[in-house]
Amino acid sequence: MIRPIVTWDLPALRRRSLPVPDVTRDIRHLVADMFDTLQEAGGVGLSAIQVGVPLRVAVLAIDGHRLALINPHVLVRNRRRVKGVEGCLSLPGIVRKVKRPYDMIVSFMDTDGQAFQIRADGLQARVIGHEMDHMDGKLIVDY
Ligand code: ZN
């Protein structure tokens, strides 16, 4: 089910998202809705705060590859950073050049509550960094 995306409501978008204590059926519904919403919007990443839910949940869809991240945590980030142009579904019409780590190792839970670690680089590392900023209330206009 497509949910409305919060746009330009800066007080709402600045809220800090809380960790998910337990991956329940409600969380799985939220993730499914976020994938629907992301697909409809034609984006590559979406955080729960962008659909008004202040929980540390994000979905990515890059080149047809879908990934849900629950409670993501960066374990190691490359000190080498690369500049790239980013937009945000919550700030339509705005683009910013943002420096992000070239690659990083991220831990997270999936929708079965199973823990994973992945090495992300390129666009995937950029999108994960962008979505994790959302979880801390940070936006591309802050760069
Ligand atoms: Zn965004």
Side-chain angles (χ1 to χ4, degrees):
M1 196 180 74
I2 293 160
R3 300 196 187 192
I5 294 177
V6 175
T7 52
W8 290 114
D9 184 346
L10 295 185
L13 292 167
R14 295 272 185 219
R15 287 174 73 184
R16 207 180 158 82
S17 296
L18 296 173
V20 173
D22 199 11
V23 183
T24 58
R25 202 175 58 167
D26 282 352
I27 295 295
R28 283 190 282 276
H29 279 155
L30 170 66
V31 167
D33 287 355
M34 286 170 65
F35 275 126
D36 290 347
T37 305
L38 181 61
Q39 186 174 14
E40 168 75 11
V44 289
L46 186 72
S47 291
I49 190 75
Q50 294 180 273
V51 292
V53 179
L55 288 173
R56 302 184 85 84
V57 176
V59 297
L60 276 64
I62 299 171
D63 296 331
H65 176 65
R66 286 179 160 203
L67 184 66
L69 305 173
I70 298 169
N71 298 342
H73 182 72
V74 175
L75 299 174
V76 184
R77 57 167 63 80
N78 195 326
R79 267 178 297 183
R80 190 184 141 207
R81 296 187 302 158
V82 283
K83 237 186 220 180
V85 174
E86 296 182 20
C88 180
L89 293 173
S90 290
L91 307 173
I94 298 285
V95 290
R96 284 286 189 280
K97 270 189 186 163
V98 181
K99 269 188 181 173
R100 302 267 185 206
Y102 176 75
D103 63 0
M104 55 194 186
I105 297 170
V106 182
S107 68
F108 60 96
M109 279 191 300
D110 71 357
T111 50
D112 295 320
Q114 203 185 333
F116 284 94
Q117 281 183 20
I118 58 165
R119 178 186 166 273
D121 64 6
L123 180 60
Q124 190 183 45
R126 178 164 297 281
V127 177
I128 291 173
H130 180 114
E131 302 314 327
M132 289 184 68
D133 276 355
H134 272 301
M135 295 175 192
D136 294 325
K138 193 169 180 183
L139 301 166
I140 55 172
V141 288
D142 299 327
Y143 285 90

